[in-house]
Amino acid sequence: MLLKSLIKNIEAKYPLNLAYDWDNVGLLVGDFNSDIKKVLVVLEANERVIDEAIENNIDLIITHHPFIFKKMNKINTSDLKGRLIHKLIKNDIALYSMHTNFDIAFDGLNDYFMELMGFEDCKVLEVTNNEVLYKLAVYVPETHIDKVKNALGKAGAGHIGNYSHCSFTSRGEGNFMPLEGTNPFIGTKGEIECVKEVKIETIVPQKILGGVLSSMINAHPYEEVAYDLYKLENKGNSVGLGRVTKLKEKISLKDLSNSIKEKLNMKHIRVVGSLDTTISKIALVTGSGADMVKKAQRSGCEVIITGDVKYHDAQDAIDMGMCIIDCGHFETEDIFKDVMKRFLDDIHDIEVLKSNIDLNPFKIV
Ligand SMILES: [Zn+2]
């Protein structure tokens, strides 16, 4: 499939605008019009990963950590990054990165970690954005009310809380005159027509707006569909960094740590705080989240699960009465390749491989 079509699929679920301003996400190397058959998913790309991609005839590498992050003034082979970019282009391999947008998005890295641990009913720890909502009003002849309503509902319009297919209808008369060059479903060219119509109003989140409009137009019988679209002040679902959840049953810090260790398949895990502390609510920030300890405590959590915790972060947490489970930056994020493979496997016409390169820079001896 064309790279631009694949990217459209990815960004419908993980939009680039969710990323922090300082981040660098999206297609970092490549041609939007290239044909993609094989994709390699991996936490980050270094020379070993690029060689693995070449050996496996990969067309696209998808990473979590941005492959290009710092500003570059030259791309040439005397510099490590320049050499790698050169190697990718010479071997016709594109590279796409999804970083904080993937941390923040629903069903991204943080949600997947919580799912893996078996934690449910997760909320956002730090809200960064609220989903933009639109009101859609469409005018439909009485014969096609159900068809259009069903198409809107099926495309995801009209979701309010746990209710789907929400809409409001009001009856009235539509007036129009078909001009030369038209092929009207109702009416005659050059004559004003008055038709009993229904106005269907519903709510649509921005991320599915394109799909909802095309479903509506396909289901509507008119050649020219009359509809209004208003941007709303109402706030949609919150998105943001990190997750919190209240446990169904309280657990000790020791048992929680052991359970995480087992699920992440780790031999050792670093824990800050008294091991017999009772934990009822937990926070998670994949990667580096030591700066979110206070935020987690203010959210009522007794522990934060994260990586990259420094000595003084740990000392401060003890003084605050907070616990930390430091699983490691690599260990909380290497699952990127699992969640991305699961997502991409639903897209036909591409083969998806997980990288076999061990990218953990730390070894325990
Ligand atoms: Zn990271």
Side-chain angles (χ1 to χ4, degrees):
M1 81 189 299
L2 279 182
L3 179 52
K4 62 183 173 191
S5 309
L6 177 57
I7 288 176
K8 204 172 159 195
N9 272 290
I10 294 172
E11 292 176 6
K13 178 89 177 162
Y14 304 107
L16 297 185
N17 65 2
L18 292 184
Y20 280 96
D21 290 342
W22 50 259
D23 211 351
N24 192 31
V25 291
L27 185 65
L28 304 189
V29 179
D31 175 356
F32 285 99
N33 288 311
S34 57
D35 188 31
I36 304 297
K37 291 191 181 73
K38 269 178 115 175
V39 179
L40 182 72
V41 286
V42 62
L43 179 58
E44 58 196 90
N46 58 18
E47 188 146 29
R48 287 177 295 148
V49 170
I50 293 170
D51 287 341
E52 181 189 30
I54 295 167
E55 275 165 32
N56 287 283
N57 295 317
I58 294 293
D59 306 300
L60 170 70
I61 301 174
I62 300 182
T63 71
H64 179 50
H65 289 151
F67 176 65
I68 301 171
F69 196 64
K70 292 184 196 144
K71 189 176 170 224
M72 298 180 74
N73 295 319
K74 292 173 189 167
I75 299 173
N76 66 42
T77 52
S78 66
D79 160 80
L80 171 64
K81 192 63 78 172
R83 188 159 54 80
L84 297 185
I85 293 171
H86 194 243
K87 200 167 189 176
L88 284 170
I89 295 171
K90 264 179 78 179
N91 286 282
D92 214 6
I93 298 172
L95 193 143
Y96 183 92
S97 297
M98 40 205 307
H99 191 216
T100 47
N101 57 322
F102 195 71
D103 290 325
I104 288 169
F106 292 116
D107 293 333
L109 202 57
N110 281 268
D111 280 334
Y112 184 69
F113 188 102
M114 293 303 246
E115 182 191 322
L116 202 64
M117 297 302 139
F119 300 140
E120 294 170 345
D121 299 325
C122 300
K123 306 261 185 318
V124 169
L125 175 61
E126 181 167 83
V127 173
T128 54
N129 276 306
N130 283 98
E131 213 167 34
V132 175
L133 296 175
Y134 284 85
K135 167 63 68 78
L136 172 62
V138 57
Y139 304 87
V140 185
E142 286 183 328
T143 49
H144 283 69
I145 301 171
D146 288 343
K147 192 173 179 194
V148 174
K149 266 193 198 170
N150 286 339
L152 289 168
K154 206 172 164 196
H159 254 278
I160 302 175
N162 285 331
Y163 293 83
S164 70
H165 296 74
C166 301
S167 67
F168 184 83
T169 52
S170 45
R171 289 174 194 276
E173 287 177 348
N175 300 284
F176 52 86
M177 181 166 73
L179 299 176
E180 268 316 306
T182 56
N183 181 21
F185 177 72
I186 301 172
T188 311
K189 279 178 210 171
E191 288 178 23
I192 294 177
E193 194 66 35
C194 179
V195 179
K196 287 199 182 310
E197 288 184 348
V198 164
K199 180 183 183 186
I200 303 171
E201 294 173 86
T202 189
I203 199 162
V204 189
Q206 186 178 37
K207 67 178 179 190
I208 58 163
L209 188 57
V212 168
L213 291 179
S214 56
S215 300
M216 174 190 81
I217 288 166
N218 281 338
H220 201 291
Y222 286 1
E223 198 174 18
E224 299 293 342
V225 178
Y227 67 91
D228 308 319
L229 202 56
Y230 317 85
K231 198 169 182 180
L232 296 178
E233 292 292 321
N234 308 37
K235 285 186 173 162
N237 289 328
S238 301
V239 293
L241 204 64
R243 298 291 182 265
V244 293
T245 190
K246 205 166 169 37
L247 299 178
K248 282 184 184 144
E249 283 175 29
K250 292 178 182 176
I251 187 171
S252 72
L253 179 62
K254 186 178 179 184
D255 288 347
L256 177 64
S257 306
N258 279 327
S259 146
I260 293 171
K261 200 167 81 172
E262 196 182 305
K263 284 176 177 144
L264 289 181
N265 207 11
M266 293 174 70
K267 287 197 180 97
H268 307 276
I269 202 163
R270 296 201 308 167
V271 183
V272 178
S274 172
L275 291 178
D276 56 9
T277 308
T278 302
I279 307 294
S280 62
K281 196 172 179 186
I282 63 168
L284 162 81
V285 177
T286 54
S288 297
D291 56 346
M292 301 283 267
V293 175
K294 264 190 205 158
K295 183 89 196 174
Q297 191 175 41
R298 281 202 297 270
S299 304
C301 300
E302 296 93 0
V303 65
I304 182 166
I305 303 163
T306 190
D308 278 350
V309 178
K310 292 183 187 159
Y311 174 83
H312 289 292
D313 299 326
Q315 293 290 12
D316 290 349
I318 289 172
D319 285 347
M320 289 163 61
M322 267 295 278
C323 303
I324 304 178
I325 299 175
D326 182 353
C327 307
H329 191 131
F330 170 81
E331 288 80 357
T332 57
E333 294 195 327
D334 193 40
I335 51 173
F336 170 77
K337 56 190 183 191
D338 302 325
V339 62
M340 264 321 276
K341 178 161 167 55
R342 183 172 74 173
F343 171 73
L344 293 169
D345 277 346
D346 283 342
I347 297 174
H348 300 298
D349 304 330
I350 52 167
E351 185 187 348
V352 184
L353 305 183
K354 292 194 280 184
S355 170
N356 287 317
I357 304 294
D358 179 7
L359 289 171
N360 193 347
F362 300 110
K363 302 281 172 282
I364 292 172
V365 291

